[in-house]
Amino acid sequence: MVLLKGEPKPQTAARRQAPVRELDLERYRARYGLQAVLLSNLAIAGVAIFGVWRLDGDKSVIIGVLTAAFTAVSSMTTAYLGIKAVSNTAQAMAQSAPSRDQTPPTPPLAKSLTTPAQ
């Protein structure tokens, strides 16, 4: 492509995109956070299934593997949902809070602790 003198350069796709809005950013965080938790849970379940398959029927060890896998999956899911709930609550409180642009009232002058000499 030949540019003439004084002709502006064409913008790349990255420059043409609008900035990410706050709502879109929250959607991305929620979507990819949930995907990370789901993929981690699937990985834990896959390792547990592979471990049970390789143990060839040793009941006590299978119970231990399944218990550990269940604990890991439930802990990770609970942590994600708890953090997400707290984040949503904090964001809602911040949006509904009154603006902090007002200056605080000045305190009254402190009285002297010493008494005047008589």
Side-chain angles (χ1 to χ4, degrees):
M1 172 181 210
V2 177
L3 294 176
L4 301 174
K5 188 176 183 180
E7 186 177 344
K9 293 182 181 179
Q11 293 184 350
T12 62
R15 288 185 184 170
R16 278 183 280 173
Q17 290 179 348
V20 178
R21 296 180 315 176
E22 188 68 28
L23 182 61
D24 291 336
L25 183 61
E26 280 302 313
R27 285 183 184 156
Y28 290 141
R29 286 180 183 165
R31 179 180 302 140
Y32 293 119
L34 184 61
Q35 283 181 358
V37 169
L38 290 176
L39 287 174
S40 299
N41 288 347
L42 286 174
I44 292 169
V47 169
I49 290 170
F50 179 76
V52 167
W53 173 65
R54 295 295 295 171
L55 290 174
D56 295 325
D58 188 4
K59 303 281 187 214
S60 61
V61 178
I62 289 175
I63 290 172
V65 168
L66 292 178
T67 301
F70 178 77
T71 302
V73 166
S74 62
S75 298
M76 185 173 302
T77 304
T78 303
Y80 171 74
L81 294 176
I83 291 169
K84 188 69 182 144
V86 169
S87 173
N88 289 346
T89 303
Q91 186 176 19
M93 288 176 66
Q95 289 175 350
S96 67
S99 105
R100 305 262 178 186
D101 294 337
Q102 301 172 356
T103 58
T106 57
L109 294 175
K111 293 184 179 180
S112 176
L113 296 177
T114 60
T115 58
Q118 294 182 3

